[in-house]
Amino acid sequence: YKPDGSLDASFDEDGIVTLNIGTSLMDTAYAVRVQPDGKIVVAGSSLMLVASANSRISQNDFSIIRLNGDGSLDYSFGHKGATITDLGYGVDVAYDLALAPDGSIVVAGVATNGTDQDFAIASYQSNGTLDTRFGEGGKVRTDFFGEDDFISSVALQRDGRILVAGNALKAT
């Protein structure tokens, strides 16, 4: 948007970007950050159709896209501007993201573990590939009490430590 609230036509020719990521059935954005170089990082989820032995099922996966300042996909990021990451057994949703000074990206949200939902974090290098030095293959999942847990917000400290806030359900 322009300062006066009108759409900025220099952004994707009409001020609006609508994308379908890869072969996803539906994409939802939950978080957006602008890098110092003006590129725009968006995180959320992509509903993917997955073929199994006897049927086809759908599952949500973390998804990240990076746009250039004009709204076009940044093809130097991930695969043609997007990265989709499977973290669990069905529902994986990235609710927030944080940008590190070195250009890396931390994405946080929720991942299903087969019975309930866990805190989920993935770390990506500046080119959109998972940072395999982080957790297990670039991913960390934490289950607190065997119930549904989710991260709603993430921040990075100056020393690189990751802070998250969310909900950890404990049955009484």
Side-chain angles (χ1 to χ4, degrees):
Y1 289 93
K2 294 179 182 179
D4 68 3
S6 63
L7 287 172
D8 182 353
S10 69
F11 186 75
D12 198 44
E13 299 181 8
D14 63 0
I16 301 170
V17 173
T18 303
L19 298 168
N20 185 13
I21 302 171
T23 59
S24 71
L25 303 172
M26 181 176 68
D27 303 301
T28 305
Y30 290 101
V32 62
R33 300 288 182 275
V34 179
Q35 296 180 167
D37 64 1
K39 292 187 179 187
I40 303 161
V41 181
V42 181
S45 69
S46 292
L47 180 62
M48 307 298 292
L49 188 61
V50 179
S52 65
N54 298 320
S55 65
R56 296 164 68 104
I57 59 172
S58 60
Q59 68 181 34
N60 282 80
D61 293 331
F62 271 26
S63 61
I64 308 169
I65 63 166
R66 187 164 69 192
L67 303 170
N68 295 306
D70 65 1
S72 63
L73 279 169
D74 175 5
Y75 285 144
S76 70
F77 183 82
H79 177 72
K80 296 183 179 179
T83 297
I84 297 175
T85 305
D86 182 11
L87 282 98
Y89 296 87
V91 177
D92 306 329
V93 180
Y95 288 117
D96 200 12
L97 70 101
L99 303 174
D102 67 357
S104 62
I105 302 164
V106 175
V107 178
V110 63
T112 304
N113 66 23
T115 51
D116 55 66
Q117 297 176 330
D118 299 337
F119 270 34
I121 302 172
S123 181
Y124 300 87
Q125 297 179 45
S126 61
N127 66 0
T129 59
L130 281 168
D131 181 352
T132 57
R133 299 168 297 170
F134 179 80
E136 292 182 33
K139 304 176 261 185
V140 171
R141 293 177 33 178
T142 303
D143 185 10
F144 288 97
F145 306 111
E147 300 288 336
D148 288 336
D149 312 311
F150 68 89
I151 297 172
S152 56
S153 184
V154 63
L156 299 179
Q157 293 184 165
R158 290 180 195 222
D159 63 3
R161 291 183 185 196
I162 301 167
L163 301 175
V164 297
N167 184 51
L169 181 63
K170 183 175 182 180
T172 57

